[in-house]
Amino acid sequence: MESKRQQKMASLLQQELAQVMQRDLPHLFGGGLVPSISSVKVTPDLAVARVHLSLLIGGDAPERLAAIKEHTKEIRFALGKRIRAQVRVVPELTFFHDDSAAYAAHMEQVLSKLDIPAAQPETDDDEAPETPRPRLFN
């Protein structure tokens, strides 16, 4: 369970990283689409931030994630310039691919292929006779 401090730091990092990737360093992504940040988790000592990126659009996700990991130092430096007045130490950034949207789309496709008959309304005539319950005590 995250503390308020961790939640505030995660929120700040998510907002500022989005600004860094969209405005300060868009050239790092080869002219492709800038990934969206789906979530940020921060360790209790605020030293490490796990950044989950949604890389659905714009090419091969593993290649794009590898390119982002290569430029982690530049991203952290640009982030540090933006948040230096609010934090003592800029956390180390570790990037991960968030494939929850792709998984949800896959599950939706699987569920749409199922042939589920419609539920029939119950009537009073179809009620089964009630079975007697066993007695536990005499």
Side-chain angles (χ1 to χ4, degrees):
M1 184 163 158
E2 290 185 333
S3 67
K4 287 276 190 191
R5 191 168 154 233
Q6 286 173 281
Q7 291 172 355
K8 284 182 182 181
M9 179 65 132
S11 176
L12 173 70
L13 291 175
Q14 186 171 4
Q15 291 171 0
E16 295 299 329
L17 274 171
Q19 294 297 319
V20 164
M21 289 182 174
Q22 288 176 0
R23 295 186 181 162
D24 299 344
L25 303 173
H27 62 278
L28 295 180
F29 306 107
L33 294 173
V34 176
S36 60
I37 300 169
S38 56
S39 69
V40 176
K41 302 287 183 194
V42 182
T43 57
D45 62 353
L46 307 179
V48 178
R50 297 173 53 105
V51 181
H52 297 270
L53 303 171
S54 178
L55 303 168
L56 287 178
I57 303 172
D60 189 30
E63 285 181 15
R64 292 178 65 203
L65 184 62
I68 291 169
K69 286 182 178 182
E70 287 178 18
H71 298 289
T72 300
K73 288 183 181 181
E74 293 173 55
I75 295 170
R76 184 173 181 238
F77 181 75
L79 176 68
K81 288 196 303 189
R82 292 182 73 93
I83 65 171
R84 67 177 170 228
Q86 297 154 338
V87 297
R88 288 184 187 175
V89 177
V90 178
E92 291 290 327
L93 302 174
T94 53
F95 294 100
F96 297 94
H97 175 59
D98 181 21
D99 60 350
S100 60
Y103 180 73
H106 170 72
M107 290 307 296
E108 182 67 31
Q109 182 182 22
V110 168
L111 291 174
S112 68
K113 290 180 182 178
L114 293 177
D115 183 29
I116 301 173
Q120 296 182 8
E122 293 184 23
T123 61
D124 293 337
D125 299 336
D126 295 337
E127 287 186 19
E130 191 174 314
T131 57
R133 290 186 171 179
R135 294 180 63 182
L136 298 176
F137 300 104
N138 288 337

